[in-house]
Amino acid sequence: PIVKDFDNRSKILENSKVEVEDLCLVSFRCYSDMIRKSIDEIDLIEHIPEYVGREHPILSKCRVGVGKGKFKNPRGIAFDKIRHKLYICDSSNCRIQVFNTVGKFLHSFGNNQLQELHCICVSKDFVFITEAKNCVTKFTLQGMFKKSFDGGAVKFGRIYGVDCSDEFLYICDLRYQRIYILDLNLNYIKQFGSGEIKYPADISRHSDRIYILSRSVSSIYCYDKYCTLQKEIELSDGEKPMTLTVFMVIDPKGNFLVSDESNQEIRIFS
């Protein structure tokens, strides 16, 4: 079944509201993904309307540059809930920068090892990063390189969104329109979604479900833990059409936060 209008409950956060004089705004990808990866640790919300006042995500402001705490094209964000650290993909500087939850720079890693970073996730022991060169790379939480995997015989198309559990890594392939499952040692296990999903850009797990965001058709595909498609949810609020959705998170209450780059907004659906 397709949920046509998602109960018509949608709120909008506009990234234009976080502009500050003499500071550059983190790219929209970083802005939306910051909400994605830190949401469980923010004392957020009992009800959707309370989102509207939260126009300033953590670390929404930064300076352009190559020094500590400066960024060039920041993208994915991961939050280590155990140690309360933020891992940020500083894409064009080809590194990961690590901060505490009040924005203090701690350390960086990945220089000379990473190229044009896309997305990132953190398990209890490791950091996983997808790169534009179509590989996923594994580091320790302290930044020690462990392994890189380019798909081998599977041959990645264009990998992007990534998420992990205590056992598995889930990776979106935009070009071949499917999801890969690896173990945490980056060994290929299986794939799913071929012929069922269109242009998967991001992936999030919630309870025993796997949710996959389409980049171009404004839909979320819901799979069960056995990777069987349960339903397709069409994102619509009866206002502006969404034609470029890139990042998604499901908050603890089950609300979907979706970045709408076509309208430069973050939309929240319940």
Side-chain angles (χ1 to χ4, degrees):
I2 298 177
V3 180
K4 287 294 184 182
D5 56 11
F6 231 99
D7 297 328
N8 288 315
R9 299 181 64 189
S10 172
K11 297 294 179 182
I12 296 174
L13 300 179
E14 298 181 1
N15 64 347
S16 60
K17 294 180 181 178
V18 295
E19 295 175 348
V20 177
E21 185 178 0
D22 297 328
L23 294 175
C24 80
L25 180 65
V26 172
S27 73
F28 184 74
R29 284 175 177 156
C30 186
Y31 172 73
S32 57
D33 211 21
M34 179 67 75
I35 293 180
R36 167 186 179 181
K37 294 301 183 183
S38 61
I39 197 164
D40 286 340
E41 292 300 313
I42 299 173
D43 181 19
L44 280 177
I45 24 238
E46 292 296 329
H47 304 287
I48 281 183
E50 293 179 280
Y51 273 107
V52 178
R54 298 204 174 245
E55 299 155 356
H56 297 268
I58 300 170
L59 294 179
S60 64
K61 305 177 291 294
C62 70
R63 295 184 184 275
V64 172
V66 298
K68 295 178 180 179
K70 296 182 179 181
F71 297 88
K72 286 187 178 180
N73 193 19
R75 289 184 178 172
I77 305 293
F79 187 66
D80 180 355
K81 293 186 288 186
I82 298 173
R83 299 161 190 84
H84 302 282
K85 295 179 180 180
L86 290 166
Y87 291 75
I88 303 179
C89 291
D90 188 2
S91 183
S92 295
N93 283 327
C94 302
R95 65 187 178 186
I96 302 297
Q97 296 201 61
V98 185
F99 298 81
N100 65 17
T101 53
V102 295
K104 180 181 178 181
F105 174 84
L106 300 177
H107 65 97
S108 65
F109 61 89
N111 304 66
N112 304 317
Q113 295 170 311
L114 298 169
Q115 296 180 22
E116 194 178 342
L117 320 182
H118 280 166
C119 295
I120 184 171
C121 66
V122 176
S123 71
K124 63 180 181 180
D125 296 308
F126 298 104
V127 179
F128 300 93
I129 303 142
T130 55
E131 303 179 58
K133 62 182 180 181
N134 278 325
C135 70
V136 56
T137 303
K138 174 182 177 180
F139 288 85
T140 65
L141 295 175
Q142 295 73 36
M144 181 180 296
F145 173 82
K146 298 296 291 183
K147 186 178 181 181
S148 186
F149 179 61
D150 63 3
V154 178
K155 296 182 179 179
F156 292 153
R158 184 187 176 196
I159 60 173
Y160 210 83
V162 62
D163 200 4
C164 60
S165 66
D166 291 337
E167 298 179 277
F168 303 115
L169 191 67
Y170 302 85
I171 303 173
C172 297
D173 191 323
L174 271 168
R175 178 176 297 168
Y176 294 148
Q177 302 180 60
R178 58 195 181 195
I179 307 299
Y180 304 110
I181 300 180
L182 313 180
D183 66 22
L184 298 190
N185 289 318
L186 302 188
N187 297 308
Y188 173 80
I189 297 176
K190 68 176 183 177
Q191 59 185 263
F192 68 93
S194 295
E196 296 177 334
I197 57 179
K198 295 180 179 179
Y199 305 105
D202 204 1
I203 185 166
S204 291
R205 296 171 302 104
H206 182 70
S207 299
D208 61 348
R209 292 288 190 263
I210 302 167
Y211 294 90
I212 300 158
L213 177 69
S214 169
R215 183 182 177 89
S216 59
V217 299
S218 300
S219 291
I220 294 173
Y221 302 91
C222 174
Y223 283 78
D224 64 20
K225 61 183 179 180
Y226 304 108
C227 304
T228 301
L229 181 63
Q230 299 299 299
K231 61 183 176 180
E232 177 183 350
I233 302 166
E234 181 180 328
L235 299 180
S236 172
D237 64 2
E239 297 179 0
K240 306 174 191 174
M242 295 190 294
T243 58
L244 185 59
T245 49
V246 180
F247 290 110
M248 169 190 66
V249 66
I250 306 159
D251 74 12
K253 301 296 183 182
N255 302 310
F256 290 79
L257 285 81
V258 177
S259 70
D260 174 13
E261 291 198 1
S262 54
N263 294 300
Q264 290 293 286
E265 296 167 344
I266 295 176
R267 300 199 186 192
I268 301 128
F269 297 89
S270 175

PDB file of all heavy atoms in Angstrom, residues 210-240:
ATOM      1  N   ILE A 210      13.592  -1.631   8.274  1.00  0.00           N
ATOM      2  CA  ILE A 210      14.627  -0.930   7.529  1.00  0.00           C
ATOM      3  C   ILE A 210      13.920   0.024   6.581  1.00  0.00           C
ATOM      4  O   ILE A 210      13.069  -0.396   5.795  1.00  0.00           O
ATOM      5  CB  ILE A 210      15.510  -1.909   6.723  1.00  0.00           C
ATOM      6  CG1 ILE A 210      16.154  -2.938   7.645  1.00  0.00           C
ATOM      7  CG2 ILE A 210      16.590  -1.150   5.937  1.00  0.00           C
ATOM      8  CD1 ILE A 210      16.788  -4.108   6.903  1.00  0.00           C
ATOM      9  N   TYR A 211      14.260   1.306   6.657  1.00  0.00           N
ATOM     10  CA  TYR A 211      13.617   2.322   5.823  1.00  0.00           C
ATOM     11  C   TYR A 211      14.635   2.910   4.855  1.00  0.00           C
ATOM     12  O   TYR A 211      15.731   3.308   5.261  1.00  0.00           O
ATOM     13  CB  TYR A 211      13.009   3.423   6.692  1.00  0.00           C
ATOM     14  CG  TYR A 211      11.867   2.947   7.546  1.00  0.00           C
ATOM     15  CD1 TYR A 211      12.103   2.453   8.827  1.00  0.00           C
ATOM     16  CD2 TYR A 211      10.567   2.981   7.073  1.00  0.00           C
ATOM     17  CE1 TYR A 211      11.058   2.001   9.622  1.00  0.00           C
ATOM     18  CE2 TYR A 211       9.507   2.534   7.865  1.00  0.00           C
ATOM     19  CZ  TYR A 211       9.765   2.046   9.133  1.00  0.00           C
ATOM     20  OH  TYR A 211       8.719   1.597   9.924  1.00  0.00           O
ATOM     21  N   ILE A 212      14.243   2.996   3.581  1.00  0.00           N
ATOM     22  CA  ILE A 212      15.146   3.443   2.531  1.00  0.00           C
ATOM     23  C   ILE A 212      14.511   4.629   1.814  1.00  0.00           C
ATOM     24  O   ILE A 212      13.372   4.548   1.344  1.00  0.00           O
ATOM     25  CB  ILE A 212      15.430   2.311   1.532  1.00  0.00           C
ATOM     26  CG1 ILE A 212      16.073   1.131   2.270  1.00  0.00           C
ATOM     27  CG2 ILE A 212      16.327   2.790   0.394  1.00  0.00           C
ATOM     28  CD1 ILE A 212      15.918  -0.188   1.561  1.00  0.00           C
ATOM     29  N   LEU A 213      15.256   5.730   1.734  1.00  0.00           N
ATOM     30  CA  LEU A 213      14.764   6.947   1.096  1.00  0.00           C
ATOM     31  C   LEU A 213      15.177   6.992  -0.368  1.00  0.00           C
ATOM     32  O   LEU A 213      16.352   6.823  -0.698  1.00  0.00           O
ATOM     33  CB  LEU A 213      15.328   8.172   1.815  1.00  0.00           C
ATOM     34  CG  LEU A 213      14.971   9.540   1.221  1.00  0.00           C
ATOM     35  CD1 LEU A 213      13.492   9.837   1.411  1.00  0.00           C
ATOM     36  CD2 LEU A 213      15.832  10.630   1.852  1.00  0.00           C
ATOM     37  N   SER A 214      14.213   7.234  -1.260  1.00  0.00           N
ATOM     38  CA  SER A 214      14.507   7.419  -2.679  1.00  0.00           C
ATOM     39  C   SER A 214      14.963   8.847  -2.927  1.00  0.00           C
ATOM     40  O   SER A 214      14.382   9.799  -2.405  1.00  0.00           O
ATOM     41  CB  SER A 214      13.271   7.119  -3.529  1.00  0.00           C
ATOM     42  OG  SER A 214      13.475   7.536  -4.864  1.00  0.00           O
ATOM     43  N   ARG A 215      15.984   9.005  -3.752  1.00  0.00           N
ATOM     44  CA  ARG A 215      16.518  10.328  -4.048  1.00  0.00           C
ATOM     45  C   ARG A 215      15.592  11.144  -4.940  1.00  0.00           C
ATOM     46  O   ARG A 215      15.539  12.367  -4.842  1.00  0.00           O
ATOM     47  CB  ARG A 215      17.893  10.190  -4.729  1.00  0.00           C
ATOM     48  CG  ARG A 215      18.589  11.509  -5.035  1.00  0.00           C
ATOM     49  CD  ARG A 215      19.907  11.264  -5.743  1.00  0.00           C
ATOM     50  NE  ARG A 215      20.570  12.492  -6.117  1.00  0.00           N
ATOM     51  CZ  ARG A 215      21.427  13.160  -5.360  1.00  0.00           C
ATOM     52  NH1 ARG A 215      21.722  12.705  -4.163  1.00  0.00           N
ATOM     53  NH2 ARG A 215      22.001  14.269  -5.784  1.00  0.00           N
ATOM     54  N   SER A 216      14.861  10.497  -5.838  1.00  0.00           N
ATOM     55  CA  SER A 216      14.176  11.254  -6.878  1.00  0.00           C
ATOM     56  C   SER A 216      12.663  11.076  -6.936  1.00  0.00           C
ATOM     57  O   SER A 216      11.980  11.855  -7.593  1.00  0.00           O
ATOM     58  CB  SER A 216      14.751  10.884  -8.254  1.00  0.00           C
ATOM     59  OG  SER A 216      14.595   9.505  -8.492  1.00  0.00           O
ATOM     60  N   VAL A 217      12.107  10.081  -6.272  1.00  0.00           N
ATOM     61  CA  VAL A 217      10.666   9.866  -6.375  1.00  0.00           C
ATOM     62  C   VAL A 217       9.926  10.183  -5.074  1.00  0.00           C
ATOM     63  O   VAL A 217       8.736   9.938  -4.962  1.00  0.00           O
ATOM     64  CB  VAL A 217      10.340   8.413  -6.817  1.00  0.00           C
ATOM     65  CG1 VAL A 217      10.933   8.129  -8.177  1.00  0.00           C
ATOM     66  CG2 VAL A 217      10.827   7.401  -5.796  1.00  0.00           C
ATOM     67  N   SER A 218      10.637  10.733  -4.090  1.00  0.00           N
ATOM     68  CA  SER A 218      10.017  11.172  -2.832  1.00  0.00           C
ATOM     69  C   SER A 218       9.211  10.065  -2.168  1.00  0.00           C
ATOM     70  O   SER A 218       8.054  10.242  -1.793  1.00  0.00           O
ATOM     71  CB  SER A 218       9.132  12.403  -3.070  1.00  0.00           C
ATOM     72  OG  SER A 218       9.899  13.459  -3.571  1.00  0.00           O
ATOM     73  N   SER A 219       9.825   8.901  -2.068  1.00  0.00           N
ATOM     74  CA  SER A 219       9.193   7.772  -1.399  1.00  0.00           C
ATOM     75  C   SER A 219      10.159   7.163  -0.388  1.00  0.00           C
ATOM     76  O   SER A 219      11.380   7.290  -0.519  1.00  0.00           O
ATOM     77  CB  SER A 219       8.781   6.689  -2.406  1.00  0.00           C
ATOM     78  OG  SER A 219       7.721   7.129  -3.222  1.00  0.00           O
ATOM     79  N   ILE A 220       9.582   6.504   0.604  1.00  0.00           N
ATOM     80  CA  ILE A 220      10.351   5.713   1.560  1.00  0.00           C
ATOM     81  C   ILE A 220       9.874   4.278   1.440  1.00  0.00           C
ATOM     82  O   ILE A 220       8.671   4.008   1.481  1.00  0.00           O
ATOM     83  CB  ILE A 220      10.166   6.223   2.994  1.00  0.00           C
ATOM     84  CG1 ILE A 220      10.765   7.624   3.142  1.00  0.00           C
ATOM     85  CG2 ILE A 220      10.799   5.265   4.000  1.00  0.00           C
ATOM     86  CD1 ILE A 220      10.480   8.275   4.480  1.00  0.00           C
ATOM     87  N   TYR A 221      10.819   3.371   1.288  1.00  0.00           N
ATOM     88  CA  TYR A 221      10.509   1.950   1.189  1.00  0.00           C
ATOM     89  C   TYR A 221      10.748   1.304   2.547  1.00  0.00           C
ATOM     90  O   TYR A 221      11.802   1.486   3.160  1.00  0.00           O
ATOM     91  CB  TYR A 221      11.380   1.275   0.134  1.00  0.00           C
ATOM     92  CG  TYR A 221      11.239   1.878  -1.237  1.00  0.00           C
ATOM     93  CD1 TYR A 221      12.074   2.913  -1.650  1.00  0.00           C
ATOM     94  CD2 TYR A 221      10.267   1.439  -2.131  1.00  0.00           C
ATOM     95  CE1 TYR A 221      11.946   3.479  -2.917  1.00  0.00           C
ATOM     96  CE2 TYR A 221      10.131   1.998  -3.388  1.00  0.00           C
ATOM     97  CZ  TYR A 221      10.979   3.023  -3.770  1.00  0.00           C
ATOM     98  OH  TYR A 221      10.854   3.581  -5.029  1.00  0.00           O
ATOM     99  N   CYS A 222       9.764   0.559   3.002  1.00  0.00           N
ATOM    100  CA  CYS A 222       9.839  -0.094   4.304  1.00  0.00           C
ATOM    101  C   CYS A 222      10.047  -1.590   4.122  1.00  0.00           C
ATOM    102  O   CYS A 222       9.242  -2.267   3.466  1.00  0.00           O
ATOM    103  CB  CYS A 222       8.558   0.175   5.090  1.00  0.00           C
ATOM    104  SG  CYS A 222       8.445  -0.722   6.641  1.00  0.00           S
ATOM    105  N   TYR A 223      11.123  -2.115   4.706  1.00  0.00           N
ATOM    106  CA  TYR A 223      11.433  -3.541   4.665  1.00  0.00           C
ATOM    107  C   TYR A 223      11.424  -4.105   6.080  1.00  0.00           C
ATOM    108  O   TYR A 223      11.731  -3.387   7.043  1.00  0.00           O
ATOM    109  CB  TYR A 223      12.818  -3.779   4.062  1.00  0.00           C
ATOM    110  CG  TYR A 223      12.870  -3.650   2.548  1.00  0.00           C
ATOM    111  CD1 TYR A 223      12.889  -2.412   1.937  1.00  0.00           C
ATOM    112  CD2 TYR A 223      12.898  -4.783   1.745  1.00  0.00           C
ATOM    113  CE1 TYR A 223      12.933  -2.290   0.552  1.00  0.00           C
ATOM    114  CE2 TYR A 223      12.950  -4.683   0.357  1.00  0.00           C
ATOM    115  CZ  TYR A 223      12.960  -3.443  -0.230  1.00  0.00           C
ATOM    116  OH  TYR A 223      12.998  -3.323  -1.597  1.00  0.00           O
ATOM    117  N   ASP A 224      11.098  -5.373   6.194  1.00  0.00           N
ATOM    118  CA  ASP A 224      11.206  -6.017   7.495  1.00  0.00           C
ATOM    119  C   ASP A 224      12.634  -6.505   7.711  1.00  0.00           C
ATOM    120  O   ASP A 224      13.509  -6.325   6.847  1.00  0.00           O
ATOM    121  CB  ASP A 224      10.184  -7.149   7.648  1.00  0.00           C
ATOM    122  CG  ASP A 224      10.407  -8.299   6.669  1.00  0.00           C
ATOM    123  OD1 ASP A 224      11.521  -8.446   6.120  1.00  0.00           O
ATOM    124  OD2 ASP A 224       9.455  -9.073   6.447  1.00  0.00           O
ATOM    125  N   LYS A 225      12.895  -7.115   8.856  1.00  0.00           N
ATOM    126  CA  LYS A 225      14.254  -7.531   9.187  1.00  0.00           C
ATOM    127  C   LYS A 225      14.757  -8.655   8.299  1.00  0.00           C
ATOM    128  O   LYS A 225      15.958  -8.953   8.281  1.00  0.00           O
ATOM    129  CB  LYS A 225      14.328  -7.958  10.654  1.00  0.00           C
ATOM    130  CG  LYS A 225      13.439  -9.141  11.020  1.00  0.00           C
ATOM    131  CD  LYS A 225      13.538  -9.440  12.505  1.00  0.00           C
ATOM    132  CE  LYS A 225      12.636 -10.596  12.916  1.00  0.00           C
ATOM    133  NZ  LYS A 225      12.737 -10.875  14.369  1.00  0.00           N
ATOM    134  N   TYR A 226      13.837  -9.266   7.536  1.00  0.00           N
ATOM    135  CA  TYR A 226      14.243 -10.318   6.599  1.00  0.00           C
ATOM    136  C   TYR A 226      14.463  -9.752   5.194  1.00  0.00           C
ATOM    137  O   TYR A 226      14.612 -10.505   4.242  1.00  0.00           O
ATOM    138  CB  TYR A 226      13.182 -11.417   6.563  1.00  0.00           C
ATOM    139  CG  TYR A 226      12.894 -12.007   7.926  1.00  0.00           C
ATOM    140  CD1 TYR A 226      11.694 -11.736   8.588  1.00  0.00           C
ATOM    141  CD2 TYR A 226      13.828 -12.812   8.576  1.00  0.00           C
ATOM    142  CE1 TYR A 226      11.423 -12.259   9.845  1.00  0.00           C
ATOM    143  CE2 TYR A 226      13.576 -13.336   9.833  1.00  0.00           C
ATOM    144  CZ  TYR A 226      12.373 -13.053  10.451  1.00  0.00           C
ATOM    145  OH  TYR A 226      12.114 -13.571  11.701  1.00  0.00           O
ATOM    146  N   CYS A 227      14.447  -8.428   5.084  1.00  0.00           N
ATOM    147  CA  CYS A 227      14.667  -7.720   3.810  1.00  0.00           C
ATOM    148  C   CYS A 227      13.558  -7.982   2.802  1.00  0.00           C
ATOM    149  O   CYS A 227      13.792  -8.026   1.585  1.00  0.00           O
ATOM    150  CB  CYS A 227      16.034  -8.076   3.213  1.00  0.00           C
ATOM    151  SG  CYS A 227      17.414  -7.748   4.327  1.00  0.00           S
ATOM    152  N   THR A 228      12.334  -8.133   3.309  1.00  0.00           N
ATOM    153  CA  THR A 228      11.156  -8.281   2.460  1.00  0.00           C
ATOM    154  C   THR A 228      10.398  -6.957   2.444  1.00  0.00           C
ATOM    155  O   THR A 228      10.096  -6.400   3.498  1.00  0.00           O
ATOM    156  CB  THR A 228      10.236  -9.391   2.985  1.00  0.00           C
ATOM    157  OG1 THR A 228      10.963 -10.631   3.018  1.00  0.00           O
ATOM    158  CG2 THR A 228       9.011  -9.540   2.098  1.00  0.00           C
ATOM    159  N   LEU A 229      10.091  -6.464   1.250  1.00  0.00           N
ATOM    160  CA  LEU A 229       9.396  -5.186   1.125  1.00  0.00           C
ATOM    161  C   LEU A 229       7.999  -5.282   1.723  1.00  0.00           C
ATOM    162  O   LEU A 229       7.218  -6.168   1.378  1.00  0.00           O
ATOM    163  CB  LEU A 229       9.315  -4.780  -0.346  1.00  0.00           C
ATOM    164  CG  LEU A 229       8.626  -3.448  -0.646  1.00  0.00           C
ATOM    165  CD1 LEU A 229       9.373  -2.287  -0.013  1.00  0.00           C
ATOM    166  CD2 LEU A 229       8.489  -3.243  -2.157  1.00  0.00           C
ATOM    167  N   GLN A 230       7.676  -4.339   2.619  1.00  0.00           N
ATOM    168  CA  GLN A 230       6.370  -4.311   3.265  1.00  0.00           C
ATOM    169  C   GLN A 230       5.448  -3.259   2.659  1.00  0.00           C
ATOM    170  O   GLN A 230       4.271  -3.512   2.446  1.00  0.00           O
ATOM    171  CB  GLN A 230       6.541  -4.031   4.761  1.00  0.00           C
ATOM    172  CG  GLN A 230       7.347  -5.080   5.499  1.00  0.00           C
ATOM    173  CD  GLN A 230       6.713  -6.454   5.434  1.00  0.00           C
ATOM    174  OE1 GLN A 230       5.587  -6.642   5.898  1.00  0.00           O
ATOM    175  NE2 GLN A 230       7.413  -7.423   4.861  1.00  0.00           N
ATOM    176  N   LYS A 231       5.996  -2.097   2.358  1.00  0.00           N
ATOM    177  CA  LYS A 231       5.177  -1.040   1.766  1.00  0.00           C
ATOM    178  C   LYS A 231       6.073   0.064   1.223  1.00  0.00           C
ATOM    179  O   LYS A 231       7.247   0.181   1.577  1.00  0.00           O
ATOM    180  CB  LYS A 231       4.193  -0.455   2.781  1.00  0.00           C
ATOM    181  CG  LYS A 231       4.850   0.200   3.995  1.00  0.00           C
ATOM    182  CD  LYS A 231       3.792   0.683   4.976  1.00  0.00           C
ATOM    183  CE  LYS A 231       4.427   1.249   6.244  1.00  0.00           C
ATOM    184  NZ  LYS A 231       3.422   1.722   7.210  1.00  0.00           N
ATOM    185  N   GLU A 232       5.489   0.875   0.360  1.00  0.00           N
ATOM    186  CA  GLU A 232       6.121   2.086  -0.141  1.00  0.00           C
ATOM    187  C   GLU A 232       5.319   3.274   0.369  1.00  0.00           C
ATOM    188  O   GLU A 232       4.100   3.330   0.206  1.00  0.00           O
ATOM    189  CB  GLU A 232       6.173   2.104  -1.665  1.00  0.00           C
ATOM    190  CG  GLU A 232       6.773   3.386  -2.240  1.00  0.00           C
ATOM    191  CD  GLU A 232       6.760   3.420  -3.747  1.00  0.00           C
ATOM    192  OE1 GLU A 232       6.452   2.379  -4.369  1.00  0.00           O
ATOM    193  OE2 GLU A 232       7.025   4.504  -4.315  1.00  0.00           O
ATOM    194  N   ILE A 233       5.999   4.202   0.997  1.00  0.00           N
ATOM    195  CA  ILE A 233       5.347   5.380   1.558  1.00  0.00           C
ATOM    196  C   ILE A 233       5.660   6.564   0.666  1.00  0.00           C
ATOM    197  O   ILE A 233       6.823   6.940   0.495  1.00  0.00           O
ATOM    198  CB  ILE A 233       5.849   5.651   2.987  1.00  0.00           C
ATOM    199  CG1 ILE A 233       5.599   4.439   3.883  1.00  0.00           C
ATOM    200  CG2 ILE A 233       5.173   6.896   3.565  1.00  0.00           C
ATOM    201  CD1 ILE A 233       6.352   4.478   5.193  1.00  0.00           C
ATOM    202  N   GLU A 234       4.636   7.158   0.097  1.00  0.00           N
ATOM    203  CA  GLU A 234       4.819   8.329  -0.751  1.00  0.00           C
ATOM    204  C   GLU A 234       4.801   9.575   0.117  1.00  0.00           C
ATOM    205  O   GLU A 234       3.843   9.828   0.846  1.00  0.00           O
ATOM    206  CB  GLU A 234       3.713   8.403  -1.805  1.00  0.00           C
ATOM    207  CG  GLU A 234       3.844   9.593  -2.750  1.00  0.00           C
ATOM    208  CD  GLU A 234       2.729   9.620  -3.771  1.00  0.00           C
ATOM    209  OE1 GLU A 234       2.254   8.535  -4.167  1.00  0.00           O
ATOM    210  OE2 GLU A 234       2.331  10.733  -4.165  1.00  0.00           O
ATOM    211  N   LEU A 235       5.858  10.364   0.056  1.00  0.00           N
ATOM    212  CA  LEU A 235       5.970  11.562   0.865  1.00  0.00           C
ATOM    213  C   LEU A 235       5.279  12.725   0.164  1.00  0.00           C
ATOM    214  O   LEU A 235       5.688  13.142  -0.918  1.00  0.00           O
ATOM    215  CB  LEU A 235       7.436  11.911   1.118  1.00  0.00           C
ATOM    216  CG  LEU A 235       8.253  10.862   1.873  1.00  0.00           C
ATOM    217  CD1 LEU A 235       9.681  11.337   2.041  1.00  0.00           C
ATOM    218  CD2 LEU A 235       7.633  10.556   3.230  1.00  0.00           C
ATOM    219  N   SER A 236       4.265  13.239   0.788  1.00  0.00           N
ATOM    220  CA  SER A 236       3.537  14.373   0.219  1.00  0.00           C
ATOM    221  C   SER A 236       2.818  15.090   1.337  1.00  0.00           C
ATOM    222  O   SER A 236       2.326  14.464   2.270  1.00  0.00           O
ATOM    223  CB  SER A 236       2.518  13.904  -0.823  1.00  0.00           C
ATOM    224  OG  SER A 236       1.687  14.968  -1.244  1.00  0.00           O
ATOM    225  N   ASP A 237       2.789  16.414   1.259  1.00  0.00           N
ATOM    226  CA  ASP A 237       2.027  17.177   2.251  1.00  0.00           C
ATOM    227  C   ASP A 237       1.036  18.108   1.592  1.00  0.00           C
ATOM    228  O   ASP A 237       0.469  18.984   2.239  1.00  0.00           O
ATOM    229  CB  ASP A 237       2.963  17.946   3.182  1.00  0.00           C
ATOM    230  CG  ASP A 237       3.782  18.997   2.448  1.00  0.00           C
ATOM    231  OD1 ASP A 237       3.590  19.138   1.226  1.00  0.00           O
ATOM    232  OD2 ASP A 237       4.595  19.675   3.094  1.00  0.00           O
ATOM    233  N   GLY A 238       0.829  17.962   0.286  1.00  0.00           N
ATOM    234  CA  GLY A 238      -0.140  18.784  -0.408  1.00  0.00           C
ATOM    235  C   GLY A 238       0.329  20.185  -0.717  1.00  0.00           C
ATOM    236  O   GLY A 238      -0.439  21.020  -1.191  1.00  0.00           O
ATOM    237  N   GLU A 239       1.634  20.457  -0.454  1.00  0.00           N
ATOM    238  CA  GLU A 239       2.157  21.794  -0.710  1.00  0.00           C
ATOM    239  C   GLU A 239       3.152  21.740  -1.868  1.00  0.00           C
ATOM    240  O   GLU A 239       2.776  21.556  -3.013  1.00  0.00           O
ATOM    241  CB  GLU A 239       2.797  22.357   0.562  1.00  0.00           C
ATOM    242  CG  GLU A 239       1.787  22.533   1.702  1.00  0.00           C
ATOM    243  CD  GLU A 239       2.428  23.071   2.966  1.00  0.00           C
ATOM    244  OE1 GLU A 239       3.655  23.320   2.978  1.00  0.00           O
ATOM    245  OE2 GLU A 239       1.703  23.233   3.954  1.00  0.00           O
ATOM    246  N   LYS A 240       4.429  21.878  -1.574  1.00  0.00           N
ATOM    247  CA  LYS A 240       5.442  21.869  -2.617  1.00  0.00           C
ATOM    248  C   LYS A 240       5.864  20.442  -2.944  1.00  0.00           C
ATOM    249  O   LYS A 240       6.047  19.628  -2.047  1.00  0.00           O
ATOM    250  CB  LYS A 240       6.675  22.649  -2.155  1.00  0.00           C
ATOM    251  CG  LYS A 240       6.397  24.056  -1.686  1.00  0.00           C
ATOM    252  CD  LYS A 240       7.677  24.651  -1.120  1.00  0.00           C
ATOM    253  CE  LYS A 240       7.416  25.947  -0.397  1.00  0.00           C
ATOM    254  NZ  LYS A 240       8.624  26.457   0.268  1.00  0.00           N
TER     255      LYS A 240
END
